[in-house]
């Protein structure tokens, strides 16, 4: 891990750079000191050689000169060789040095030049070809010509190279030791510097990981004001901006999610491959309905109708919005799909799915309303026209026949007026313009009066009309009595009209703590099960043949429902064919007075 970190890389770079510099410097220093020691040894040997040559030349007594030279050589641990006439050889013997033979000085190319000139000669060699008695024959020899009377005289002074090498080795040890100390100090310094520099970076890394986990409250401490400090300031600013942007994105996402969830229309977002990305509850209900119709398992949520896939291909190909309609499970859906762009490329599409069932049903009801009104008005108008022409053409010969025709015309005109009035009342009710005049009524007395009102009609139809009251005597309630009478009148007249002779019609009033319930029950022909959901629609008749014997205008129950709804009540119907029908109307307790 150290080599992968910034500390390791920076530390290694500093150590490598310092090591390279120290290596180059050490090599140059070693070469310098080695050359320095050699030059110093040569200079000392030359000085000693000149001193010995001066001594030898100044003394008249050769024996005394040689003794002095011997003491001088032993004092400095040097070996002195004096050669006269290139044949007479003398050397100091007490120094612990090898004795080079005469041939070394006379036959050596460099040393032999001393006998030929006035200059001194310095050379280094192992002299192995001249002397084989000792393995360590590396020597530094200095030769100085002697200025005696006969010439060809010289003095040679030499010492082993090992002495110089020992001095050089000591110098190398000092240089190596210094380099080692420098490396150690550099290592410690580099590690300290790297750690000091990367410590804020490690903290930034930790904060960055916390920010990646969604913890935007963590702050990077600013310890310095250099580039790293400026980086920490920029990081904290970036963290604040990122926190603000993420918060805004979450708010927009939540807002979009709420909008999609509250939309009545379904929304489906598709990616560039046509796969579902986002849906809302209405769209999910549409997909589930299609899955059920196709027999697919609900987990296959990405599976869409083929019509939507074809619509998506058209949107991608034409790069414009497309629309289609689809029927699923008896409901009609309108699908509008619009392309989504990434710059200039289509990256997907969004489809808005609207349930058009109610609109289609309302269109159908509107058309049926026009057809029903036309049908209801056509028959009395035709009768009015026909019987009027009969009177005008004097087809009726007697006054009795004319009265009968006029009576028919009068009845049909009343029927037309009743139909028009009911249409006007229903239109006002559905437009919200119904006015309720609340009055206090005694429930039992009111219902008994309505029952007595229909006793005569019941007897004519050979029916039994009963009244049942449940509740406290004298219970009063606040309602619109005219509207309540209209409700009971419609329900009782329908029950009597659709009950065969010998049957029974019952009006039951039950006053409870939370309101009043009215039940109108008959033992008539009943209503088919498939017609029950539509009995409160305008002009809806279970008698499809529209025989005039039992059919009314088809508006009574629609008016009843609107009146009950205006009282904030509820109305329902239960029926079985050939067994009877029960209409139940409930008025809430808000209008009840004890």
């Amino acid at each position: 891990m150290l080599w992968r970190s910034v500390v390791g890389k920076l530390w290694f770079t500093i150590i490598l750079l310092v090591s390279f510099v120290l290596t180059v410097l050490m090599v140059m220093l070693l070469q310098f000191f080695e050359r320095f020691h050699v030059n110093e040894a040569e200079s000392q040997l030359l000085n000693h050689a000149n001193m010995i040559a001066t001594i030898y030349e100044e003394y008249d007594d050769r024996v005394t000169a040689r003794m002095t030279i011997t003491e001088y050589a032993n004092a400095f641990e040097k070996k002195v060789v004096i050669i006269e006439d290139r044949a007479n050889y003398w050397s100091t013997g007490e120094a612990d040095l090898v004795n080079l033979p005469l041939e070394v000085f006379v036959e050596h190319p460099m040393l032999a030049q001393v006998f030929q000139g006035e200059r001194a000669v310095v050379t280094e060699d192992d002299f192995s070809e001249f002397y084989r008695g000792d393995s360590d024959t590396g020597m530094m020899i200095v030769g100085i010509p002697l200025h005696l009377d006969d010439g060809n005289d010289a003095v040679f002074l030499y010492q082993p190279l090992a002495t110089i090498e020992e001095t050089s080795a000591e110098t190398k040890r000092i240089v190596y030791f210094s380099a080692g100390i420098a490396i150690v100090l550099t290592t410690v310094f580099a590690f300290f510097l790297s750690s000091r520099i990367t410590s804020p970076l490690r903290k930034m890394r930790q904060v960055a990981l916390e920010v990646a986990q969604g913890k935007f409250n963590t702050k990077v401490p600013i310890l310095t004001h250099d580039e790293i400090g400026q980086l920490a300031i920029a990081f904290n600013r970036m963290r604040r901006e990122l926190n603000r942007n993420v918060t805004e994105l979450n708010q927009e996402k939540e807002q979009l999610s709420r909008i999609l969830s509250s939309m009545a229309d379904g929304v489906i977002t598709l990616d560039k491959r046509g796969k579902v990305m986002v849906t809302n509850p209405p769209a999910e209900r549409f997909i589930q309905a299609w899955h059920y119709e196709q027999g697919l398992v609900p987990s296959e949520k990405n599976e869409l109708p083929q019509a939507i896939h074809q619509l998506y291909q058209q949107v991608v190909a034409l790069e414009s919005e497309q629309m289609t309609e689809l029927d699923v499970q008896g409901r009609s859906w309108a699908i509008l799909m619009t392309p989504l762009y990434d710059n200039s490329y289509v990256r997907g599409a969004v489809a808005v799915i609207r349930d058009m069932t109610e609109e289609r049903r309302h269109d159908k009801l509107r058309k049926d309303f026009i057809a029903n009104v036309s049908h209801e008005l056509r028959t009395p108008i035709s009768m009015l026209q026909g019987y009027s022409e009969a009177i005008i053409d004097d087809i009726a010969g007697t006054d009795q026949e004319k009265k009968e025709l006029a009576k028919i015309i009068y009845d049909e005109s009343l029927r037309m007026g009743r139909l028009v009035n009911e249409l006007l009342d229903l239109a006002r009710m559905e437009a919200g313009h119904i006015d309720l005049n609340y009055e206090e009524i005694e429930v039992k007395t009111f219902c008994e009066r309505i029952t007595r009102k229909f006793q005569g009609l019941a007897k004519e139809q050979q029916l039994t009309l009963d009244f049942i009251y449940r509740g406290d005597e004298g219970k009063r309630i606040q309602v619109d009595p005219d509207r309540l009478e209209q409700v009971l009148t419609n329900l009782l007249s329908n029950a009597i009209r659709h009950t065969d002779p010998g049957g029974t019609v019952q009006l039951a009033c039950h006053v409870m703590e939370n309101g009043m319930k009215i039940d109108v029950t008959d033992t008539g022909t009943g209503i088919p099960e498939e017609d029950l959901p539509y009995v409160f629609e305008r002009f809806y008749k279970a008698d499809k043949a529209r025989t005039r014997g039992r059919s009314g205008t088809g508006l009574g129950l629609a008016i009843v429902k609107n009146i009950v709804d205006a009282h904030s009540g509820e109305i329902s119907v239960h029926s079985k064919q050939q067994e009877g029908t029960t209409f139940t109307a409930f008025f809430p307790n808000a209008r009840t007075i004890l």
Side-chain angles (χ1 to χ4, degrees):
M1 296 298 294
L2 180 63
W3 302 112
R4 296 180 181 178
S5 64
V6 177
V7 176
K9 293 178 180 179
L10 186 59
W11 173 79
F12 180 74
T13 302
I14 295 175
I15 292 300
L16 185 63
L17 179 60
V18 173
S19 299
F20 176 76
V21 174
L22 287 178
T23 301
V24 174
L25 182 61
M26 186 173 60
V27 170
M28 296 177 65
L29 285 175
L30 291 176
Q31 291 180 353
F32 171 76
F33 282 115
E34 184 177 1
R35 177 55 54 192
F36 173 78
H37 289 307
V38 172
N39 293 335
E40 187 68 18
E42 291 178 355
S43 176
Q44 289 181 2
L45 285 179
L46 284 174
N47 291 334
H48 292 309
N50 288 325
M51 180 62 70
I52 292 171
T54 303
I55 293 172
Y56 195 77
E57 291 174 351
E58 293 295 332
Y59 278 77
D60 294 334
D61 185 0
R62 296 286 187 263
V63 176
T64 302
R66 289 177 179 176
M67 290 176 61
T68 302
I69 292 172
T70 300
E71 293 177 359
Y72 185 87
N74 290 334
F76 291 99
E77 296 182 354
K78 302 293 186 294
K79 192 74 172 180
V80 180
V81 176
I82 298 175
I83 300 175
E84 298 178 355
D85 295 331
R86 302 186 69 169
N88 295 325
Y89 176 88
W90 175 87
S91 66
T92 59
E94 295 183 5
D96 189 14
L97 295 173
V98 296
N99 292 320
L100 295 176
L102 178 62
E103 292 80 3
V104 173
F105 305 101
V106 176
E107 297 178 2
H108 192 276
M110 291 292 296
L111 298 178
Q113 295 178 6
V114 178
F115 300 100
Q116 300 175 1
E118 295 293 331
R119 68 185 186 87
V121 176
V122 179
T123 185
E124 300 172 9
D125 206 341
D126 57 357
F127 301 102
S128 59
E129 58 180 320
F130 299 102
Y131 184 77
R132 305 181 184 277
D134 197 330
S135 59
D136 189 9
T137 57
M139 297 292 177
M140 175 182 288
I141 301 177
V142 175
I144 299 295
L146 292 174
H147 300 286
L148 301 177
D149 295 337
D150 50 3
N152 291 326
D153 304 320
V155 59
F156 294 94
L157 186 67
Y158 63 90
Q159 66 179 11
L161 292 176
T163 304
I164 302 174
E165 291 176 355
E166 289 179 0
T167 305
S168 299
E170 184 67 23
T171 304
K172 289 181 181 178
R173 284 193 294 272
I174 294 174
V175 172
Y176 290 151
F177 182 72
S178 300
I181 293 177
I183 290 294
V184 173
L185 293 177
T186 303
T187 301
V188 175
F189 173 75
F191 190 80
F192 173 76
L193 180 62
S194 301
S195 300
R196 185 67 179 270
I197 293 176
T198 56
S199 177
L201 298 179
R202 289 195 299 270
K203 293 181 180 178
M204 290 182 192
R205 174 182 175 273
Q206 182 179 359
V207 173
L209 293 176
E210 293 179 359
V211 170
Q213 295 174 357
K215 301 177 182 179
F216 296 102
N217 295 326
T218 307
K219 184 178 179 182
V220 177
I222 302 173
L223 304 177
T224 60
H225 296 282
D226 53 5
E227 288 81 358
I228 296 179
Q230 296 297 324
L231 178 61
I233 294 174
F235 187 89
N236 289 331
R237 184 177 302 170
M238 179 194 70
R239 175 188 57 80
R240 291 193 300 270
E241 291 297 324
L242 185 61
N243 185 18
R244 183 178 62 82
N245 292 334
V246 170
T247 302
E248 292 178 355
L249 287 176
N250 289 334
Q251 292 176 352
E252 291 180 0
K253 182 179 179 181
E254 179 68 17
Q255 182 179 1
L256 179 60
S257 177
R258 295 294 182 183
I259 292 174
L260 290 178
S261 299
S262 61
M263 286 181 61
D265 297 336
V267 178
I268 300 178
T269 303
L270 306 176
D271 60 8
K272 61 181 179 181
R273 293 176 295 180
K275 299 297 183 181
V276 177
M277 295 177 60
V278 178
T279 59
N280 65 340
E284 292 176 357
R285 289 194 293 269
F286 165 75
I287 296 175
Q288 290 174 0
W290 184 79
H291 284 170
Y292 180 81
E293 186 177 82
Q294 298 297 321
L296 301 176
V297 295
S299 60
E300 299 175 357
K301 60 186 300 183
N302 290 331
E303 187 69 24
L304 292 175
Q306 185 64 28
I308 295 183
H309 284 295
Q310 294 177 355
L311 189 66
Y312 174 74
Q313 294 174 358
Q314 295 177 2
V315 169
V316 173
L318 301 176
E319 296 187 3
S320 62
E321 63 179 17
Q322 301 292 324
M323 185 176 180
T324 186
E325 290 193 10
L326 189 64
D327 292 331
V328 177
Q329 288 290 293
R331 303 190 71 85
S332 180
W333 302 86
I335 304 172
L336 177 64
M337 188 174 294
T338 304
L340 298 175
Y341 290 94
D342 183 5
N343 293 330
S344 59
Y345 300 97
V346 177
R347 62 176 179 86
V350 58
V352 178
I353 303 174
R354 174 168 294 181
D355 189 355
M356 302 296 293
T357 306
E358 293 298 324
E359 285 78 357
R360 298 292 182 266
R361 189 174 67 87
H362 290 162
D363 291 342
K364 183 177 182 301
L365 290 177
R366 178 178 56 81
K367 295 176 181 178
D368 292 343
F369 174 77
I370 296 175
N372 290 330
V373 170
S374 300
H375 179 81
E376 292 294 335
L377 293 178
R378 181 180 59 185
T379 300
I381 291 176
S382 299
M383 295 182 67
L384 291 175
Q385 182 180 359
Y387 287 117
S388 299
E389 290 178 353
I391 294 175
I392 294 173
D393 295 338
D394 293 330
I395 295 177
T398 63
D399 292 337
Q400 182 65 28
E401 290 177 351
K402 291 180 180 180
K403 288 182 178 180
E404 290 179 358
L405 294 179
K407 181 68 169 57
I408 294 174
I409 293 174
Y410 176 73
D411 291 340
E412 291 300 325
S413 63
L414 292 178
R415 184 168 181 267
M416 288 180 61
R418 187 169 60 252
L419 175 62
V420 172
N421 291 331
E422 289 180 350
L423 282 174
L424 293 176
D425 290 341
L426 182 61
R428 284 196 301 269
M429 291 179 185
E430 291 183 347
H433 299 306
I434 182 173
D435 295 327
L436 298 179
N437 298 316
Y438 289 99
E439 297 180 8
E440 292 183 12
I441 63 170
E442 185 178 344
V443 177
K444 183 177 180 182
T445 303
F446 183 84
C447 293
E448 287 178 344
R449 181 175 64 81
I450 298 298
T451 304
R452 289 194 299 270
K453 175 182 175 181
F454 282 92
Q455 286 292 347
L457 180 61
K459 290 181 180 180
E460 291 180 3
Q461 300 293 332
Q462 301 178 2
L463 301 176
T464 301
L465 178 59
D466 296 332
F467 170 69
I468 298 177
Y469 177 78
R470 301 184 185 93
D472 297 336
E473 293 290 336
K475 189 80 170 183
R476 301 178 69 85
I477 191 171
Q478 186 176 6
V479 295
D480 186 339
D482 293 336
R483 296 297 182 181
L484 180 58
E485 182 176 356
Q486 190 176 1
V487 169
L488 295 178
T489 299
N490 275 286
L491 295 178
L492 288 174
S493 62
N494 283 342
I496 294 173
R497 187 167 61 249
H498 291 87
T499 302
D500 295 330
T504 301
V505 176
Q506 183 184 86
L507 172 62
C509 295
H510 184 195
V511 181
M512 301 173 292
E513 291 296 331
N514 59 343
M516 180 184 67
K517 185 176 73 170
I518 298 175
D519 294 326
V520 177
T521 305
D522 64 64
T523 58
T525 57
I527 303 173
E529 183 178 352
E530 62 273 12
D531 294 329
L532 283 176
Y534 308 103
V535 294
F536 295 107
E537 298 290 342
R538 292 178 300 179
F539 291 110
Y540 191 87
K541 298 180 182 180
D543 184 6
K544 300 298 189 299
R546 299 184 181 271
T547 57
R548 297 188 61 195
R550 291 182 176 179
S551 293
T553 60
L555 298 175
L557 292 179
I559 293 174
V560 167
K561 188 176 187 310
N562 279 275
I563 293 175
V564 174
D565 290 341
H567 283 82
S568 300
E570 296 178 359
I571 187 169
S572 61
V573 58
H574 300 280
S575 178
K576 287 186 178 181
Q577 283 190 287
Q578 307 305 323
E579 292 186 10
T581 304
T582 299
F583 283 89
T584 301
F586 176 77
F587 294 86
N589 195 29
R591 303 297 179 181
T592 302
I593 300 177
L594 295 177

